Amino acid sequence: MEIFEQVAAMQLACREVRRSGKTLGLVPTMGALHAGHLSLVRAARADCDVVAATIFVNPLQFGPKEDFSKYPRTFEDDCRKLRAEKVDMLFAPTTEQMYPRGASTVVHVEGLSEKLDGKSRPGHFRGVTTVVAKLFEIARPHRAYFGQKDAAQLAILRKMARDLNMDIEIIGCPIVREADGLAMSSRNVYLSPEERRQALCLHRALCKIESLVAGGERDAERLREAGLLVIAEEKAVRLDYLEIVDAETLDPVRDIKAGALVAVACFVGSTRLIDNVVLPPCA
Ligand code: PAJ
């Protein structure tokens, strides 16, 4: 695996891949890699001739009171995992490489970026779309792989690619979970054993909603209330949002017959966790 820190070197290497007629798959990450990230790498490995991963803890997508400085950084370990998955190239730039002094251009998907996580994390999605647009421009991959775990992020990146006519196929990959249902996240390491147990209520709420849908319930508000009750049972967990929305527009839906995204975000202690489930269309 070749490691690039410089934008120009990564750009050159990716240009060479395209020139040789090979397909290039890109997997953007912030490192602290777990099985969720590696599932994206495997999907890319299965589809593309050359796989490039990126590791960059993007300061632009963290709020001033968020965990940028304490975000887990495990670079050597990450490299080992990526090598084991036969990743060809790793782009791990410094902040100065990504945001040279004086850089002032941002990419902002208006509307969508202010919904769900965007409501409680102002500026977050603007940071995500700006960095991903830059990574796309540097690597110009044929395909880019993102997790359904960050459902709003995925919807926003799809919209960005469409709106800006980016010639890149955005591939969404399923959520990878721990054995007990907790969605894998680099932030799970922040949880104490007690919080780790409390954190299961996110998945429990989603399962409750799914089981009510299986039993015939179609009313989004009733489903939402049932999910809220499950979260409320875990007294130490603070709800940020639980919403039932259209997976593309992220606007609330009234019934779930045409399919819907159920997305939840909670603070467990000081750790913010998210999870979701996609309800398929049903009669
Ligand atoms: P990060 O949180 O490191 O996640 C990188 C990618 O892994 C994202 O596409 C995310 O959805 C996916 N992922 C994380 N946990 C997952 C899980 N349990 N199952 C499946 N996929 C999972 O998301 C980001 O970084 C950043 O916002 C980024 C897109 C890299 C831009 O900075």
Side-chain angles (χ1 to χ4, degrees):
M1 182 174 75
E2 210 171 339
I3 302 178
F4 301 89
E5 280 180 18
Q6 308 284 323
V7 168
M10 179 67 180
Q11 231 156 9
L12 192 68
C14 292
R15 193 180 306 150
E16 205 40 59
V17 171
R18 283 194 310 277
R19 244 216 320 249
S20 66
K22 293 182 173 149
T23 53
L24 176 61
L26 186 74
V27 183
T29 81
M30 298 202 298
L33 301 181
H34 51 65
H37 296 114
L38 299 180
S39 75
L40 310 183
V41 169
R42 271 175 218 156
R45 188 67 283 167
D47 286 356
C48 306
D49 299 321
V50 175
V51 176
T54 76
I55 295 181
F56 178 61
V57 186
N58 173 32
L60 222 59
Q61 69 187 78
F62 288 80
K65 296 202 178 107
E66 291 183 354
D67 57 341
F68 174 70
S69 55
K70 74 163 187 178
Y71 196 83
R73 288 161 171 88
T74 56
F75 189 71
E76 292 309 319
D77 223 40
D78 292 347
C79 287
R80 225 176 13 78
K81 290 176 181 167
L82 295 174
R83 278 195 195 97
E85 298 294 338
K86 306 214 173 341
V87 166
D88 301 288
M89 305 155 82
L90 170 61
F91 181 49
T94 58
T95 303
E96 293 68 34
Q97 276 289 311
M98 284 306 275
Y99 301 114
R101 195 191 296 270
S104 61
T105 304
V106 296
V107 176
H108 182 201
V109 176
E110 287 182 358
L112 280 191
S113 297
E114 281 70 55
K115 295 173 185 171
L116 300 182
D117 308 275
K119 224 183 278 173
S120 39
R121 302 184 70 189
H124 167 66
F125 285 128
R126 196 175 75 146
V128 170
T129 43
T130 299
V131 82
V132 172
K134 285 169 71 74
L135 293 170
F136 282 0
E137 190 53 32
I138 292 163
R140 300 225 177 160
H142 297 90
R143 303 191 186 102
Y145 295 79
F146 297 93
Q148 177 61 36
K149 156 87 185 337
D150 298 272
Q153 170 172 282
L154 181 57
I156 289 166
L157 291 172
R158 284 191 197 285
K159 181 88 165 57
M160 174 186 84
R162 212 165 44 236
D163 287 355
L164 295 180
N165 308 100
M166 291 170 158
D167 189 16
I168 297 173
E169 194 183 345
I170 307 285
I171 315 270
C173 300
I175 301 179
V176 177
R177 299 178 179 281
E178 303 285 357
D180 60 5
L182 182 71
M184 288 195 184
S185 162
S186 303
R187 291 190 166 98
N188 290 349
V189 298
Y190 297 151
L191 302 171
S192 70
E194 178 56 13
E195 290 169 343
R196 171 69 183 71
R197 189 195 59 69
Q198 294 164 350
L200 287 174
C201 73
L202 281 81
H203 183 239
R204 226 170 22 241
L206 297 173
C207 290
K208 174 75 188 179
I209 290 173
E210 272 187 310
S211 78
L212 291 172
V213 172
E217 182 61 81
R218 299 291 179 263
D219 181 80
E221 198 41 45
R222 277 201 292 270
L223 291 168
R224 182 169 174 273
E225 307 254 299
L228 289 176
L229 276 180
V230 175
I231 304 282
E233 280 164 14
E234 205 58 80
K235 297 281 179 276
V237 169
R238 186 161 61 82
L239 179 80
D240 181 356
Y241 67 75
L242 192 161
E243 290 194 43
I244 304 186
V245 299
D246 179 279
E248 206 174 307
T249 65
L250 306 181
D251 285 326
V253 296
R254 290 182 55 178
D255 76 59
I256 53 94
K257 286 198 198 79
L261 167 71
V262 186
V264 59
C266 291
F267 288 93
V268 181
S270 56
T271 305
R272 188 173 178 282
L273 298 178
I274 60 173
D275 200 349
N276 68 84
V277 67
V278 175
L279 304 174
C282 53

